[in-house]
Amino acid sequence: MSRSYRFHGPPNVSVPDRPVLLRKRKKQALERLHLVGADALSISDHNGTRPIETYAAVDGRAVTLTRREVDLITLANPGMDPPAALEDLHPWLPECRFLNNSVASLRAAEAIVRRFGQHFFSAASFCDEKWNTICNALRQGSIHDVRFYLAWHLPIQEAYVLEEVNPDRSVIAIDFNGMYPSCMQHDFPKPSALHLVHLNRDLDPSEMLTTGLYRCVLHEPATDFIARHNPLRSFHSGRHLRAQLNEPIEIDLNEFELAFFSRHFRRIHLVEAIVSNETTLHPLAREVRRSFARRKNYRHQGNKTLADREKCLATLMTSCASRSSRPRRTFETRKAAMVHVRSHYGIDVPADEPEAATDIWLDGRKGVTVHHGDNGVIVRGPALQTGSACHLLGQRIVARGRTMLLEMMEMILACAPDVQICYTNIDSIHFSLPTIHRDSVVAWLEREASDAMGSFKIEAVTQYGLWLEPGRYWLYSDREIVKFRNRSIGDQRQPFRDHAIYVVGRRIGDLHVPVRMTLAMERTMSPSRSVELDGDDSVVRQRLIEIGDNTTFTDVMGGLERNQRQAIPARIKAFKAVREKIDTSRNAASAREDNAIVM
């Protein structure tokens, strides 16, 4: 039997049924901004213009207009604490372009602050403020909240198909409006009333379950949908990979998720549950509704900047309850440290995984880190039983968003013959279908779509699509790119940019050491997915590595190595082919225009 949790499984500690006082956070004072402009040779601020090598610490927080200016200052002043960039601190601002003129950059930054400075906010301070609102409303949490932190926590992010190039098919992309804010409008179990119940019985699909999180075992997939679009993930070697469906899967699911999965598995056995007979609304539910209304109003006024700001604020409100404190604990030996992470976080490293491999992913962004220090082994991770967070709020929001996406995928597959789900990412779905059915499906979508929170809109209708991996796609016609994303590399003015140059800081004591790096697309793509031609319908499909209870470290490493050698080059080849096709079409069109006879 395999398991689908945040890590390898649940913790092996028993917790008493008792409430925990939710602890507020101190409000942080806003730092005064010290605006700086930079180019390759100089920096400018209110003290004038001087050589870039003379940058020094200032009173307040030094801020430039763009990230490029930060990189130039950092490289010219090794060891110094670098400034921040407005485009990083406030990504909702209008596009900030590097001007390569320190005086002009300073003036542009001052203009941005004059226009939008009253709307600036610190993400950390904003989240602390909203967390205090949650504390005022709920007062108490529960020790059982640890179950919600360790449950399956990922949104659905998948590329099922590599590309759609059939001229007889079309691609449609839809996107949900405020999906997570809409998920906050449902009932939540009252945190202080959570309690454990033992069930040990099979689920009756017709029964009404009490609100809560159910530990269950899924047996035998019953539909082609769940086999082809399996969303379940298991943790192995630092990665979340596809859980095999040919063996039972242990998982923690909310009651509304069980209602969905009961249609797709022949049998679901309920082991136990953390439930509450009392429900409550999310303390920020009304506030995100108001934020969404303001966002719509700004959008109707044509004010994209403030509409994007409201979207950013709503995103922070959906996650602000999950920012727990992260204390450090020191252990004399590695063995004692690993016993702690197993009992508290469910991290049960496979016996065949080398320690060096474990250390690599425990040093990454997994929420729990293990480091060898001078006085022993240091474990740093979230404090799950101290009332510094309420993880059930965030976990149920993401879980309900997953369910919304899966149910919409089912509806799309039933709307016309031969529909292919190509790509899903948190709140968007891309699918292809025969062009003869395009107009009728678009008409159906337009009838169902609206600008209401939780509804969806049609983002694009195109001829072709290329989906390299989640966060990297291009939807295009014969001559132009209609919509694209290219995470970590992307440039809205250069759809086919395949690398980025940036400066990363390495801190050694009090020194900030700048390192200039080139981020190439092929070196940042995940090797977790294979690329395979489906002989049944001649579609090039992508498939996440599958793991089960008997999967070994060698199996996973072998799959990653094969994909590194085969799948990533295949994706890059498809990307270059699309780039060449679009560039050739543009050049041909330009030549026709140049040769045209003007009457």
Side-chain angles (χ1 to χ4, degrees):
M1 180 171 66
S2 59
R3 292 175 166 182
S4 185
Y5 291 91
R6 177 182 288 266
F7 297 114
H8 299 98
N12 57 6
V13 294
S14 58
V15 293
D17 289 335
R18 63 180 178 85
V20 175
L21 185 67
L22 297 179
R23 297 188 290 112
K24 295 182 180 181
R25 301 189 184 102
K26 292 182 180 179
K27 187 174 181 179
Q28 303 177 24
L30 292 177
E31 294 181 287
R32 186 173 62 85
L33 297 183
H34 182 101
L35 297 179
V36 178
D39 55 38
L41 300 176
S42 65
I43 55 173
S44 298
D45 59 12
H46 66 270
N47 294 318
T49 300
R50 55 193 181 276
I52 192 170
E53 294 84 0
T54 62
Y55 172 80
V58 297
D59 182 21
R61 186 172 195 179
V63 176
T64 66
L65 180 66
T66 63
R67 178 67 199 176
R68 177 74 182 279
E69 293 170 85
V70 173
D71 291 347
L72 291 172
I73 293 173
T74 303
L75 288 171
N77 299 271
M80 295 292 296
D81 189 4
L86 282 176
E87 65 178 356
D88 290 339
L89 294 175
H90 306 288
W92 49 270
L93 286 172
E95 183 182 11
C96 302
R97 300 187 63 179
F98 175 64
L99 303 176
N100 201 24
N101 182 308
S102 64
V103 175
S105 293
L106 177 63
R107 299 291 175 260
E110 291 172 341
I112 287 286
V113 172
R114 282 196 301 272
R115 185 177 179 187
F116 298 109
Q118 61 180 324
H119 300 292
F120 284 0
F121 63 89
S122 160
S125 297
F126 180 81
C127 286
D128 288 346
E129 177 187 342
K130 299 310 172 187
W131 166 246
N132 291 343
T133 300
I134 292 173
C135 291
N136 288 337
L138 299 180
R139 300 291 182 183
Q140 292 180 325
S142 169
I143 292 291
H144 289 299
D145 190 57
V146 64
R147 288 280 190 98
F148 291 86
Y149 172 78
L150 295 171
W152 177 30
H153 69 294
L154 301 173
I156 296 177
Q157 297 177 286
E158 191 57 83
Y160 301 100
V161 173
L162 176 60
E163 57 184 338
E164 179 57 80
V165 293
N166 189 330
D168 296 326
R169 296 178 66 86
S170 297
V171 174
I172 300 176
I174 67 169
D175 187 78
F176 281 84
N177 308 316
M179 172 184 273
Y180 283 177
S182 73
C183 294
M184 295 172 68
Q185 308 307 312
H186 296 270
D187 287 339
F188 291 77
K190 188 175 181 179
S192 60
L194 291 174
H195 59 278
L196 174 67
V197 295
H198 298 281
L199 299 170
N200 194 26
R201 62 177 176 81
D202 284 357
L203 171 69
D204 180 352
S206 64
E207 68 178 303
M208 296 292 293
L209 293 172
T210 306
T211 304
L213 190 68
Y214 290 75
R215 179 153 300 156
C216 56
V217 181
L218 310 179
H219 295 267
E220 301 179 51
T223 63
D224 178 68
F225 173 84
I226 205 66
R228 187 176 286 266
H229 306 97
N230 175 10
L232 304 175
R233 299 290 178 263
S234 289
F235 188 77
H236 201 292
S237 302
R239 300 171 184 268
H240 287 93
L241 304 173
R242 191 175 185 178
Q244 289 182 353
L245 296 180
N246 60 358
E247 63 185 30
I249 300 174
E250 182 183 272
I251 186 172
D252 283 347
L253 295 174
N254 292 278
E255 78 286 350
F256 52 84
E257 294 178 283
L258 280 168
F260 173 82
F261 283 108
S262 65
R263 305 198 303 266
H264 296 283
F265 285 87
R266 299 188 189 282
R267 176 182 166 225
I268 298 180
H269 183 74
L270 303 178
V271 180
E272 60 187 23
I274 300 296
V275 298
S276 172
N277 296 323
E278 302 177 58
T279 61
T280 184
L281 295 177
H282 194 294
L284 302 179
R286 181 179 297 178
E287 193 157 348
V288 293
R289 288 201 304 270
R290 291 171 177 166
S291 176
F292 187 80
R294 289 193 296 270
R295 178 183 166 191
K296 285 176 58 177
N297 188 40
Y298 285 133
R299 191 164 60 243
H300 291 156
Q301 294 174 12
N303 193 334
K304 182 180 183 300
T305 300
L306 293 186
D308 289 346
R309 177 182 182 272
E310 292 298 333
K311 182 178 180 180
C312 183
L313 291 174
T315 300
L316 292 175
M317 282 190 276
T318 62
S319 60
C320 65
S322 301
R323 297 169 63 250
S324 54
S325 60
R326 293 173 50 81
R328 296 184 179 188
R329 293 192 60 179
T330 303
F331 299 86
E332 293 184 358
T333 65
R334 176 187 169 87
K335 181 178 179 180
M338 296 309 292
V339 169
H340 172 74
V341 298
R342 171 66 186 91
S343 63
H344 281 72
Y345 304 113
I347 296 176
D348 191 10
V349 178
D352 65 332
E353 183 173 282
E355 282 191 7
T358 304
D359 289 343
I360 289 172
W361 64 259
L362 276 174
D363 194 31
R365 299 179 180 180
K366 295 294 183 287
V368 179
T369 60
V370 178
H371 293 130
H372 295 270
D374 296 335
N375 299 320
V377 180
I378 301 170
V379 176
R380 187 177 185 185
L384 301 177
Q385 302 178 13
T386 62
S388 64
C390 186
H391 292 286
L392 78 83
L393 297 176
Q395 194 274 342
R396 283 178 65 91
I397 290 170
V398 175
R400 200 172 284 276
R402 285 195 304 255
T403 306
M404 286 176 62
L405 207 66
L406 289 168
E407 289 176 340
M408 189 65 195
M409 289 165 63
E410 282 187 300
M411 294 173 62
I412 288 171
L413 289 170
C415 72
D418 196 19
V419 175
Q420 297 274 1
I421 302 292
C422 301
Y423 175 91
T424 58
N425 191 6
I426 303 178
D427 61 354
S428 62
I429 302 173
H430 301 176
F431 62 97
S432 71
L433 76 168
T435 302
I436 59 174
H437 301 301
R438 182 188 61 195
D439 292 345
S440 62
V441 171
V442 168
W444 166 68
L445 289 172
E446 288 176 342
R447 289 194 300 270
E448 298 293 325
S450 75
D451 61 356
M453 185 169 65
S455 184
F456 65 89
K457 58 183 176 294
I458 300 175
E459 283 283 289
V461 180
T462 68
Q463 291 175 282
Y464 312 111
L466 172 68
W467 303 272
L468 298 187
E469 61 183 358
R472 282 182 171 151
Y473 66 85
W474 289 258
L475 305 180
Y476 62 99
S477 64
D478 283 326
R479 290 183 53 182
E480 63 177 349
I481 297 295
V482 177
K483 182 177 176 64
F484 78 97
R485 293 287 185 273
N486 189 6
R487 61 176 176 81
S488 73
I489 304 292
D491 186 327
Q492 291 303 315
R493 296 183 300 276
Q494 302 177 66
F496 295 110
R497 188 180 186 188
D498 59 4
H499 71 282
I501 300 174
Y502 69 107
V503 176
V504 62
R506 303 288 189 231
R507 187 162 184 169
I508 303 177
D510 293 331
L511 295 178
H512 296 263
V513 181
V515 180
R516 186 183 178 94
M517 299 184 68
T518 298
L519 193 67
M521 181 189 292
E522 59 266 28
R523 292 205 298 268
T524 62
M525 294 186 66
S526 169
S528 298
R529 292 173 179 81
S530 62
V531 173
E532 305 165 358
L533 178 63
D534 190 331
D536 294 338
D537 47 20
S538 299
V539 174
V540 180
R541 298 191 183 280
Q542 301 196 62
R543 189 178 183 87
L544 197 65
I545 292 175
E546 284 195 347
I547 59 173
D549 190 41
N550 296 320
T551 302
T552 65
F553 176 80
T554 304
D555 294 335
V556 174
M557 291 300 107
L560 294 173
E561 185 178 350
R562 283 192 303 274
N563 293 342
Q564 190 76 44
R565 291 195 317 266
Q566 301 171 9
I568 291 180
R571 294 192 189 100
I572 295 299
K573 181 179 179 181
F575 167 76
K576 291 180 178 178
V578 172
R579 178 173 62 188
E580 182 178 354
K581 176 181 179 179
I582 297 295
D583 288 345
T584 301
S585 298
R586 287 173 175 169
N587 292 337
S590 298
R592 287 194 299 270
E593 291 169 1
D594 292 341
N595 295 330
I597 298 176
V598 180
M599 299 299 291

